[in-house]
Amino acid sequence: MSTQKRERPRLALLPKPTVTSGKCTSVDILSDGVIDWEYVNHLWVFPMLHNNNGRIYAPCVVFLDGSWAMIGPIGTLDEARQLCFRWSALHDRGVKDKSAPPAPFGISPEGSIVDVRLFELGDSLPGDPWHYDEKTGDFRLNLVVLGVELANSALCPDITLEERIADMDAKLKKVEGTLRSCDTVQPHLAKAYVAKAREAAVFWLTELQAEEDAEVETPEEDGRSFADAVRKEGVTYEQAVLKLGKYLGDIYSNIRNEDGTPLADTEERKHKAYKAGVERLAYFAGVSS
């Protein structure tokens, strides 16, 4: 029986996220462990020149400075898409698929510019919804811009999307009255114009609401963000998990409502953040969470 002391294996360090630009790497293909995801704008399915078997595609990551780098080998469209969308789900980044036609704008521009002139209504409409026609020298009403102007005027803080739409509808009723009082606008046209403007307004309010919702950081995003930050310190999985728990404990113990009272769901939020952070650390450590 050997009496020699067995040496405990050294624990592997988590990969450090050091790459913040496609300009600061010399490797052909980046692993997601070395990418600093705070500096990533989106993933990119990039079509390249044809080879003998048809067109080929490269899965890429695009950084905030506009530079890019490949994240996988060049291959078929399906292979590039699968990798980009898998990393999109793992790292909370969108995918731009240059192989697909651009998505249409959410509201059709057809019929948006109508034969209502500036001199007929003056400054009775909100904002500046007038389109200048260079051929005739006239300003004509742009219904999509009118809708956007109405939507922007309803962007009161701390109210819901439904309340903003209701506020916009109230303003739109005044616009409808203005159009109906104009001698050159027939009633059935006024109704159609209002419907087109409302379509644009509701679309724009919905888009702005989606952007606002995306800006609200969830507990899961907080956990994943710190997991990436702690990897920069050159630590093991076990050390990172301990740091994660301490950090989230400190953060969530100090979060308060506006009146100074503790949040009712503090423990639930902390648990969600911790779970998401540990899962991310486990992914990079290559161990089961």
Side-chain angles (χ1 to χ4, degrees), residues 80-91:
R81 280 179 172 168
Q82 285 173 9
L83 180 58
C84 283
F85 281 101
R86 182 165 65 85
W87 279 28
S88 171
L90 286 169
H91 306 299

Side-chain angles (χ1 to χ4, degrees), residues 220 223-224 227 244 248 272-282:
E220 289 84 356
R224 286 190 287 264
L244 175 70
L248 295 177
K272 288 180 178 179
Y274 182 75
K275 183 174 183 292
V278 169
E279 287 175 350
R280 189 157 180 80
L281 292 172

Side-chain angles (χ1 to χ4, degrees), residues 115-123 130 137-140 182 184:
D115 199 21
V116 178
R117 292 173 174 80
L118 175 59
F119 72 85
E120 295 170 334
L121 295 180
D123 59 356
W130 302 101
D138 290 332
F139 284 90
R140 286 184 167 83
C182 180
T184 60

Side-chain angles (χ1 to χ4, degrees), residues 40-85:
V40 171
N41 195 343
H42 59 267
L43 296 158
W44 186 23
V45 180
F46 176 43
M48 304 183 73
L49 296 176
H50 291 73
N51 63 8
N52 294 333
N53 298 320
R55 191 151 197 164
I56 53 178
Y57 299 83
C60 302
V61 60
V62 180
F63 294 90
L64 295 177
D65 63 0
S67 64
W68 57 275
M70 287 174 50
I71 58 173
I74 295 171
T76 65
L77 175 58
D78 283 345
E79 290 169 340
R81 280 179 172 168
Q82 285 173 9
L83 180 58
C84 283
F85 281 101

